[in-house]
Amino acid sequence: GAGVSQTPSNKVTEKGKYVELRCDPISGHTALYWYRQSLGQGPEFLIYFQGTGAADDSGLPNDRFFAVRPEGSVSTLKIQRTERGDSAVYLCASSLGTSGNHWETQYFGPGTRLLVL
Amino acid sequence: AQSVTQPDIHITVSEGASLELRCNYSYGATPYLFWYVQSPGQGLQLLLKYFSGDTLVQGIKGFEAEFKRSQSSFNLRKPSVHWSDAAEYFCAVGARKEYGNKLVFGAGTILRVKS
């Protein structure tokens, strides 16, 4: 079946602009994660959704970053007043979300490469 | 706080040679450990995972990893490297939280394969 998809694959914007990045998880997966991967670094956790609600947003760097998942499927990561330091690859992952306290494998999308000029 | 260290930023091996990528972790409880591979333009692909039990785990593409609690290590190995293995490899620890499981990644090791 289809994996995690992310759009756009690349986004170039100017400093101060607003951007939206979209993630479409694997069908039936109720858990969704956003990570950010800066150049030369490993991915860093941003936020986790279980269904429609953000269960853990401890990784969001500041209040310019916000994410929603209104219907429990597609998620949008929103960045206001973008800064050059926001340039990175934004990765989305999903998992079944039904295993309670048991660990679930996270399946990653190809990412959106954001460049802020 | 959980952390992962991958001491080698780059590694170059000859095709057919053996490979070992190092990973050390810091975690207060029984760790959930993972190796992912990332090829250019591709998403992260899970190679293998350790949850409990046998400390030697087998993964896809001929990779294996050994969990050593005394050394806080989870090194990735492959007996004979193929040119298609050239990619970036990430070790990660699963940081458990009541309602979710976030991954904490190392900085990655870039593998180059010489023909």
Side-chain angles (χ1 to χ4, degrees), chain A residues 63-76:
Chain A
D63 60 7
R64 295 187 298 105
F65 288 74
F66 189 71
V68 296
R69 196 185 184 200
E71 297 178 356
S73 178
V74 171
S75 176
T76 304

Side-chain angles (χ1 to χ4, degrees), chain B residues 40-62:
Chain B
Q42 304 294 315
L44 290 161
Q45 181 182 24
L46 180 66
L47 285 176
L48 48 77
K49 60 192 177 188
Y50 170 78
F51 288 178
S52 64
D54 193 348
T55 56
L56 184 64
V57 293
Q58 302 296 321
I60 62 171
K61 303 185 180 186

Side-chain angles (χ1 to χ4, degrees), chain A:
Chain A
V4 177
S5 62
Q6 294 185 246
T7 55
S9 54
N10 292 279
K11 177 71 176 177
V12 181
T13 191
E14 294 178 344
K15 180 175 178 293
K17 298 290 188 183
Y18 168 84
V19 296
E20 291 189 349
L21 311 179
R22 175 189 168 108
C23 172
D24 207 333
I26 292 172
S27 178
H29 281 194
T30 62
L32 185 146
Y33 309 79
W34 284 98
Y35 292 82
R36 178 170 71 173
Q37 186 175 16
S38 301
L39 192 63
Q41 301 295 318
E44 293 179 300
F45 170 80
L46 295 177
I47 187 169
Y48 155 70
F49 286 90
Q50 178 57 49
T52 60
D56 181 359
D57 65 357
S58 61
L60 294 177
N62 51 59
D63 60 7
R64 295 187 298 105
F65 288 74
F66 189 71
V68 296
R69 196 185 184 200
E71 297 178 356
S73 178
V74 171
S75 176
T76 304
L77 179 66
K78 308 180 180 199
I79 311 174
Q80 299 177 321
R81 304 182 305 279
T82 52
E83 299 177 357
R84 292 193 179 88
D86 298 335
S87 297
V89 176
Y90 289 81
L91 296 167
C92 178
S94 70
S95 68
L96 278 170
T98 58
S99 301
N101 284 330
H102 299 286
W103 185 271
E104 297 179 338
T105 296
Q106 295 180 23
Y107 299 89
F108 283 81
T112 292
R113 186 174 300 276
L114 175 66
L115 177 61
V116 182
L117 300 177

